[in-house]
Amino acid sequence: MNEGSNGNKELTMIVGVIFLKIELKVNGKLRRAEVEASERLIDLLRQKLGLVSVKEGCGAGECGACTVLMDGEAVCSCVVPAFQTDGHDILTVDGLEENGELDVIQQSFIDCDAVQCGFCTPGMIMSAKALLIKNPSPSREEIRTALAGNICRCTGYTQIINAVETAAERIGECRR
Amino acid sequence: MDKRSYNYIGKNIIRCDAADKVQGRFLYLSDEPFPNALVGVILMSPHANATVRSIDVSEAIGIEGVEILTYLDIPSVKYNSGEWFPGQEDFPDETILTGHARHVGDRIALVMAETEEKARKARDLVRVEYEIMPAVTVLETAADMAGTLHEDGEKSFEGSLCYGDIDQAFSAAAYIESDTIATPKVHHAAMETHSVLAIPRPGNVIEVRTPCQITFGVQHSIAQVLKIPLSKIRVIKANMGGTFGGKQEVVFEVLCAWAANKLKRPVFINTTREETILSTRTRAAVKGKVETAVDAEGLILGRRFELTVDAGAYLTGTKKLMIAMGKKASRLYRIPALSYTGSVVRTSTTPAGACRGYGSPQIHTITEIHTDLMCRRLGFDPVGFRLKNLLKEFEEDLSGGANIGKARVIECLKRGAESFGWEENITPKVSRGRFFTGIGFACCTHGNGYYKTKYHDFSNMSLKILEDGSAILRASIHELGSGATTALAQIVGEVTGIDVSKITVTETDTQFTSYDSGCQASRVIYVCGECARLVSEAAVKMLTQEASKLLDKPVRFSQGSLVCEGKRLEIGGTVREIMKKRRVSIEANFEHRPEMNPASFGVHFAEVTVDKLTGLVKINRYLAVHDIGQAINESFVRGQIYGGIQMGIGMALCEELPYDSNGMPKARNFDKYHLINAPDMPDSEIILIEDGEPGGPFGAKSIGEISTVPVSAAIVNAVNRALGSSLTDLPLTPAKIVEAVADLKK
Ligand code: FES
Ligand code: FES
């Protein structure tokens, strides 16, 4: 959290509901929003900013379908209060493409057939992204651990783990 | 055709929707708000068995824009959510809303507003007073308590299946062995929760968009309750975020269509995870006794089953499922005499329904755990015993079901045992006094459609070859995430020579695609895939005939090309000329009615380490061997198997929906309902046996459902071998394992 940023924030009150004006970066762009104190980050992203790639599978921080990156860390957007993102940097799967090219993780998910119904996929990719930012050459076990909070009912994870491994290899090849 | 020369069959073609899905651009129903739609949430009963004494909606309805429909407004028609065709006569005991709540989560009222948030707030303001009655939660006493739950006087729903001389078999037996085994009530846990959209359209048509598995079944259910013609109900399959059978029966579709029709406004019903867990469907819990008569050499002489199946609050398709379980009992081993009796009871718990395998995971878990325990008690080698009794290719199903087909289950077992190192690892190992390692395996079978059952099975498709040489397969397919649409495109591409990237396969829309029995009964590849192959052949035949007429010269089709006098004709150009000059479009139609329904088989092996102190089970190694005829797309096949293993491990070790004695669900979200995650999953080996099944497209047969069938038994057998225990009450939670260990010490 950037210290006390809400301290001097404007508060508006409409029929008893307190709205906080926040400013955050979403997929590289500065966005302003008015959020209720109880509003969840997932609602801000899906409903106000139209980023419906962020999925809700449980609403309780248990499935990872809603995973986004907050300052590079994977968080469950269904348990993060929206106002806490004031002054922070949010990345969703929509922000991964660069110059019309898929992120290496996205491409690896396609190539390794790591996608079935696709509902867990955006969250899964964001957890993988957070891992590879910190650790570009993880072991299979490290990949498993990084994906521990993301449930997939379709794939049994194997092809997803293969995809993250492949993405790491490809990143490694580029660096070489 | 030589397998190696295939262009597309067996190849890992990338699924057509993969790019959209990794970009988050593949939208599910809840991602796209429909203009002017009311968003509905269901007021669900907090009690397991209670009648509504009074309902006061005045405060909620006072909020501007809120609409409420309650059980007092509904048509009185009762229906059965498992019935997918008129006249199936599944016992109707459910209404779209109810004043007698029969489980926590039962539907009392539908509260709607322009946003979901507002609808939820309004729902909180509805006051309901209930008269609470005793909950029915114990299978053994459910039949006696039936009257408190349902007014229809039915205590239970019985079914049986018998052939051969069962008494003679048991009196001739050298050994009679029996076990009592229980499989749990399981949540499907598709990551997308349930939702449905209904839109009133001009011409009195109601359009329903739903991620479902049988659009024509949804259409039937709506017609039945709303009493409107089928032709006035258009059901479109929406993008699907997983189902596993959970979205096979109608759940909220009829209610949504009724509300939209009544209010003349689009209505979108959405649910949270808790609501999906409490109010949709589950895998049916089964408990019962299996008894086997064996001769001195280890040949099975006869088998008896007495099973009780928990339908939950409404009968749903659970009687169908109970019968299906019995029918599967004679399709794995040669059982000369069989007596199967099943009893379905209703309890005040979330209704059961279809779930991946449709009874197969239950029946084969029961028989495979029993077979292992029996072999241990009698001193038979579990591999040798099974090899003696497993069905051979083209054997008849003694119960009168379809011929077994090109069965390769014996090969599955032999190759699996060798590859897994069965012999070498059979003796359990102990380390540090508390970690016990053991191996286990289980065999299983599943079907390929409905042929030679009570239900009709056919598919009708058309293939249109367009004027640029691309093609559209107009098919009533439900893409569930398994890759069916891409697999069918591969089949069309293989026959027509058209590049897969230029082939579009439609999904089902009851107004525009032709009849199909739906995505159920593991029929999609074997029946729909074969239909796709046959309609492609018909289109190619039409194209060559028309081209011959156009050019007035013989035209042949060979190896994916049109050939005239040794020269290749370009397909698009030829179609254009045919359209212009002959005024004929190239569109063939085909209705495929299968005359076979062979069995698919699988044998899975697991090595587990059980921590005696904590009761935790770790799966060290896993091998799945499947007799699949032919993989259309090997990567898809593997994906199905890995996913099936994930579900099966859950059912073996941690997944269950328990209730307390008041019928209160103990698991309402994934905090208390544990799914296997990535660290818990082993890296599984897979061996595919591809010997070509007659009647399937290029020899292919089913994999999606069967892949989960043997998993739980393989794991339980491994745990029992590791510990020397006889655990038969699934799931094997740490508490049960610790208790079993304590009992063994005594
Ligand atoms: S929806 Fe946020 S963790 Fe499941
Ligand atoms: S692909 Fe369906 S939940 Fe992961």
Side-chain angles (χ1 to χ4, degrees), chain B residues 379-390:
Chain B
F380 289 136
D381 165 42
V383 173
F385 177 87
R386 286 175 172 90
L387 287 175
K388 240 183 229 162
N389 290 288
L390 284 167

Side-chain angles (χ1 to χ4, degrees), chain A residues 116-120 152-155, chain B residues 191:
Chain A
Q116 288 188 30
C117 81
F119 203 84
C120 71
C152 174
R153 190 52 140 179
C154 299
T155 65
Chain B
M191 295 316 293

Side-chain angles (χ1 to χ4, degrees), chain A residues 36 46-47 52-60 62-63 65 93-94 97 102 106-107 109-113 115-122 125 140-141 143-145 147-159 161-162, chain B residues 14-15 18-19 21-28 30-31 117 186-193 240-242 244 273 356 480-482 635-636 638-640 642-643 646-647 655 669-671 673 675-679 681-684:
Chain A
E36 284 180 47
R46 281 179 64 88
Q47 287 163 25
V52 293
S53 68
V54 183
K55 305 297 181 211
E56 180 159 351
C58 71
E62 297 283 345
C63 78
V93 82
D94 312 77
E97 266 166 76
L102 295 182
Q106 291 174 304
Q107 192 58 51
F109 267 60
I110 296 176
D111 298 340
C112 298
D113 198 25
V115 178
Q116 288 188 30
C117 81
F119 203 84
C120 71
T121 308
I125 289 177
R140 253 181 118 72
E141 281 321 300
I143 297 172
R144 283 178 198 285
T145 309
L147 301 180
N150 292 75
I151 301 294
C152 174
R153 190 52 140 179
C154 299
T155 65
Y157 309 103
T158 304
Q159 284 149 314
I161 297 164
N162 295 347
Chain B
I14 287 172
R15 60 186 74 224
K21 284 174 176 172
V22 301
Q23 293 173 91
R25 292 193 185 143
F26 188 85
L27 299 185
Y28 306 86
S30 60
D31 294 335
E117 204 192 346
V186 165
H187 172 49
H188 300 84
M191 295 316 293
E192 177 205 26
T193 57
M240 167 72 84
F244 316 103
R273 175 61 52 189
R356 194 179 201 169
L480 310 181
S482 55
S635 183
F636 293 1
R638 299 176 82 87
Q640 287 302 302
Y642 295 132
Q646 192 268 1
M647 269 187 107
E655 287 189 41
N669 205 331
F670 295 143
D671 56 341
Y673 189 88
L675 294 153
I676 298 298
N677 65 0
M681 266 301 278
D683 266 328
S684 306

Side-chain angles (χ1 to χ4, degrees), chain B residues 497-554:
Chain B
I498 296 171
D499 193 289
V500 165
S501 66
K502 291 189 191 162
I503 298 167
T504 295
V505 177
T506 71
E507 291 193 62
T508 169
D509 171 341
T510 57
Q511 209 160 79
F512 293 106
T513 58
S514 302
Y515 189 78
D516 180 82
S517 302
C519 188
Q520 54 174 336
S522 280
R523 59 183 289 283
V524 174
I525 267 305
Y526 191 75
V527 180
C528 304
E530 180 67 352
C531 188
R533 190 184 72 79
L534 292 166
V535 76
S536 301
E537 284 193 342
V540 163
K541 190 171 163 204
M542 181 179 182
L543 179 60
T544 39
Q545 283 173 352
E546 287 300 328
S548 302
K549 286 183 200 159
L550 175 80
L551 302 170
D552 206 14
K553 286 175 194 155

Side-chain angles (χ1 to χ4, degrees), chain A residues 45-165:
Chain A
L45 294 172
R46 281 179 64 88
Q47 287 163 25
K48 294 203 173 127
L49 303 179
L51 295 170
V52 293
S53 68
V54 183
K55 305 297 181 211
E56 180 159 351
C58 71
E62 297 283 345
C63 78
C66 63
T67 304
V68 300
L69 300 199
M70 184 161 158
D71 304 333
E73 295 280 343
V75 295
C76 292
S77 62
C78 72
V79 290
V80 174
F83 74 81
Q84 279 190 5
T85 62
D86 185 37
H88 292 267
D89 207 330
I90 300 294
L91 185 67
T92 72
V93 82
D94 312 77
L96 286 185
E97 266 166 76
E98 267 182 50
N99 309 321
E101 258 190 51
L102 295 182
D103 184 279
V104 56
I105 304 175
Q106 291 174 304
Q107 192 58 51
S108 304
F109 267 60
I110 296 176
D111 298 340
C112 298
D113 198 25
V115 178
Q116 288 188 30
C117 81
F119 203 84
C120 71
T121 308
M124 217 38 112
I125 289 177
M126 295 320 288
S127 287
K129 183 77 187 171
L131 168 70
L132 295 186
I133 289 172
K134 273 185 234 126
N135 178 1
S137 48
S139 67
R140 253 181 118 72
E141 281 321 300
E142 285 169 329
I143 297 172
R144 283 178 198 285
T145 309
L147 301 180
N150 292 75
I151 301 294
C152 174
R153 190 52 140 179
C154 299
T155 65
Y157 309 103
T158 304
Q159 284 149 314
I160 293 176
I161 297 164
N162 295 347
V164 180
E165 222 173 27

